[in-house]
Amino acid sequence: MFKEDEYLQLSGIQHFAFCRRQWALIHIEQQWEENLLTVDGDIMHENVHDFGFREKRGDVVTVRAMAVSSSRLGINGECDAVEFRRSPDGINIFGMDGNYSVTPIEYKRGKPKENECDALQLMAQALCLEDMLCCEIPFGYLYYGEIRHRVKVIFDDELRRRTEEMIAEMHMYFKRHYTPKVKRTRSCNACSLKNICLPVLCKTEKVSDYIRNALKCDGSGE
């Protein structure tokens, strides 16, 4: 079990799966830059995240911006939306009559990716919900704004295993304050951190030290 001050951001698993260096720059070194893709994604999530929103349509209750956490995994964050659908095989939810199945939904700006970054993030949300509600969640959905369609993600044993192993690796890096080096790929071109990351790809020093030393050089060169 993790203490609350040891929790990592659930959303970070997507960064970690995409690029371990990117995750470390953001979550360990606190480096960040915006680009068109990140701003567009933020706008989409602002439209989705209506804190405290709860809607009932027939047998389905939708809760947006639902806070979730897991002391077992040491992560916390928010689900864009969680659907509670009335089901005889579901669980009892406090304040709601009957039994309900639980389905997390994550909203993304673009289209389905070739990698599993989004699926891992959704799986992490489901693991938190399972720990909180003492239930089993068989699947969830990724909604992509570009295609305006939901993609179903099955939470099988393999995806569960990879997600939990990745979270454990994140904790290991964070505890060591370790920022790994990576090889440049085509994905780097769309990364909002490329201007921070690329100048030090082949160096052993941390990015924060690189920036600090660069500022010192600028000041002493006058």
Side-chain angles (χ1 to χ4, degrees):
M1 295 292 182
F2 289 87
K3 299 177 182 178
E4 287 191 12
D5 60 357
E6 297 174 327
Y7 284 12
L8 299 178
Q9 293 182 25
L10 184 156
S11 59
I13 193 170
Q14 183 190 28
H15 297 139
F16 194 84
F18 174 74
C19 174
R20 282 157 171 72
R21 182 174 178 83
Q22 184 198 65
W23 173 84
L25 291 173
I26 296 171
H27 296 272
I28 296 178
E29 300 197 25
Q30 302 296 305
Q31 305 287 338
W32 181 251
E33 283 189 355
E34 296 281 9
N35 65 8
L36 179 60
L37 298 179
T38 60
V39 171
D40 193 20
D42 288 342
I43 292 173
M44 180 176 184
H45 277 85
E46 286 178 4
N47 294 333
V48 173
H49 280 223
D50 186 356
F51 294 96
F53 176 87
R54 179 169 172 162
E55 179 185 46
K56 187 177 188 303
R57 291 188 178 183
D59 291 334
V60 179
V61 176
T62 302
V63 179
R64 299 194 187 279
M66 180 174 174
V68 295
S69 64
S70 169
S71 59
R72 177 177 64 89
L73 298 173
I75 56 174
N76 61 9
E78 290 180 353
C79 295
D80 285 345
V82 180
E83 286 186 353
F84 298 92
R85 184 178 298 273
R86 188 182 288 271
S87 170
D89 299 323
I91 60 170
N92 182 257
I93 304 295
F94 179 78
M96 298 167 59
D97 294 329
N99 292 337
Y100 292 81
S101 62
V102 184
T103 306
I105 303 168
E106 176 69 12
Y107 288 75
K108 299 296 181 183
R109 61 167 298 280
K111 58 185 178 181
K113 301 179 179 64
E114 295 181 1
N115 58 51
E116 60 178 3
C117 295
D118 295 342
L120 287 164
Q121 182 183 358
L122 187 65
M123 181 75 257
Q125 294 176 5
L127 290 171
C128 288
L129 287 167
E130 289 181 341
D131 288 352
M132 292 170 58
L133 302 175
C134 298
C135 66
E136 183 173 343
I137 303 175
F139 62 87
Y141 291 103
L142 293 166
Y143 177 89
Y144 289 95
E146 188 170 324
I147 64 173
R148 297 182 180 274
H149 185 70
R150 286 184 177 185
V151 175
K152 188 174 185 178
V153 177
I154 302 297
F155 299 143
D156 57 23
D157 292 340
E158 181 62 18
L159 183 60
R160 291 171 180 273
R161 181 188 63 78
R162 289 198 301 273
T163 303
E164 294 199 14
E165 287 180 352
M166 194 163 288
I167 293 171
E169 189 179 353
M170 289 163 58
H171 276 287
M172 180 183 67
Y173 283 11
F174 194 86
K175 186 176 181 179
R176 294 169 54 197
H177 295 280
Y178 174 66
T179 301
K181 293 188 293 183
V182 294
K183 293 181 179 180
R184 183 174 182 176
T185 68
R186 287 182 300 175
S187 299
C188 294
N189 295 327
C191 179
S192 63
L193 299 184
K194 64 180 180 180
N195 293 329
I196 296 174
C197 177
L198 293 182
V200 292
L201 273 178
C202 298
K203 295 182 179 292
T204 57
E205 62 182 334
K206 294 170 61 178
V207 172
S208 55
D209 293 334
Y210 172 87
I211 295 175
R212 190 179 301 111
N213 291 333
L215 291 174
K216 288 181 181 179
C217 290
D218 289 342
S220 61
E222 295 180 357

